[in-house]
Amino acid sequence: MSDNTRRDVTSEDFDDLPEVPTYTGETGSTKVPTPPQDIYQRTGKAAPTEVFPASPTPAPAPAAAPAAVPFAGEPTEYLAPGEAGPLGEEVVAEPLARRGTTDFGLLLLRVLVGGYLILDALKVFFGLGGSAGIAGLEGEFAAYPYGEALAVVVPTLELAAGVFLVLGLLAPVAALVALAVTGFLLAHVVAASPAGANPFTWDAAVWLAVFVFAASLVLQFTGPGLYGVDAGRSWARRPLASSWICAALGVAAAGVMWWFGTGINPLA
């Protein structure tokens, strides 16, 4: 036998051999061993035990939140009229406040004050009604250091404030300008009047200036009403802080015009 046919014996060489009987010592008694069923029995090791994870405890369902009940006095506009409220009461829609003829009265006041300012300005600019025009107003303000400038500024402010008041447009600002110019004219006629600051001896010209100034102040606090361009604005229905601010600014502007335009301290 050559060396090329020689090889080592492996376990595969015994696969086709019949089972080797095992003798137990008794005559005629043989026992064929039963091969192990799996790898753990063959190796003599314990099979691993499969451990299943414990099922997680389901989280408790969150309790339903109680229905929100509004406190006493809390608005319930989110409920439509006719729906039942949280306490079973029926929601009743409140009617809008009835203004009656208030808006019409405010329209008349705006037209009267604004119309007077417009006519007075046009009389100066175009010399209407026997007016001497801007030259005549310059002569009236001749005693003031800035009389020529005031003769143009005053009717210009009157015209702008009057147009905006009649239209009901930007009423707080228009009333502010009206307060400034009518306040200046009031101080002018009082200073030029022989009666001075004594209201019991004022003539009609002084009282007219007083009423125009007062009407401008009233419009600042009442608003223009609903018959105007500003009908959708909040100040057309119920002016609040803006009225106080614009009123204070208007009076202050009148004082500034008088102080710097005439050189006379209004507080002296």
Side-chain angles (χ1 to χ4, degrees):
M1 182 179 294
S2 63
D3 294 336
N4 294 334
T5 60
R6 298 177 60 183
R7 63 181 180 82
D8 295 334
V9 179
T10 63
S11 60
E12 296 177 355
D13 297 334
F14 300 96
D15 291 342
D16 297 332
L17 295 179
E19 295 291 338
V20 179
T22 302
Y23 295 93
T24 60
E26 298 179 0
T27 304
S29 174
T30 60
K31 181 180 180 181
V32 179
T34 303
Q37 298 299 322
D38 53 25
I39 189 172
Y40 299 105
Q41 293 179 359
R42 294 177 184 176
T43 58
K45 296 182 179 180
T49 303
E50 185 176 2
V51 179
F52 296 95
S55 59
T57 304
V69 178
F71 295 101
E74 183 179 353
T76 56
E77 286 82 358
Y78 56 89
L79 294 176
E83 294 183 355
L87 300 180
E89 74 280 5
E90 183 178 352
V91 178
V92 180
E94 295 184 0
L96 295 176
R98 297 182 178 180
R99 298 174 61 90
T101 59
T102 301
D103 297 307
F104 182 71
L106 292 176
L107 174 63
L108 292 179
L109 182 60
R110 284 181 9 235
V111 170
L112 290 175
V113 177
Y116 171 80
L117 295 176
I118 293 173
L119 292 178
D120 194 52
L122 294 178
K123 181 178 67 174
V124 173
F125 282 131
F126 299 102
L128 302 176
S131 172
I134 295 180
L137 196 57
E138 289 177 355
E140 189 175 344
F141 294 156
Y144 305 146
Y146 298 99
E148 295 181 358
L150 288 173
V152 177
V153 171
V154 168
T156 301
L157 294 179
E158 284 184 315
L159 181 61
V163 171
F164 277 75
L165 284 178
V166 171
L167 295 177
L169 176 62
L170 297 178
V173 179
L176 186 156
V177 176
L179 276 174
V181 67
T182 57
F184 173 83
L185 291 175
L186 174 59
H188 169 68
V189 296
V190 170
S193 174
N198 185 6
F200 296 100
T201 57
W202 283 347
D203 56 11
V206 178
W207 281 112
L208 177 61
V210 170
F211 281 113
V212 174
F213 174 79
S216 301
L217 185 62
V218 169
L219 280 174
Q220 185 64 260
F221 287 102
T222 61
L226 301 182
Y227 296 154
V229 180
D230 286 344
R233 301 290 185 177
S234 60
W235 59 67
R237 299 174 182 271
R238 189 177 59 179
L240 296 176
S242 62
S243 295
W244 291 98
I245 296 174
C246 291
L249 291 177
V251 174
V256 170
M257 286 180 61
W258 178 257
W259 191 348
F260 290 97
T262 65
I264 302 174
N265 186 356
L267 302 178

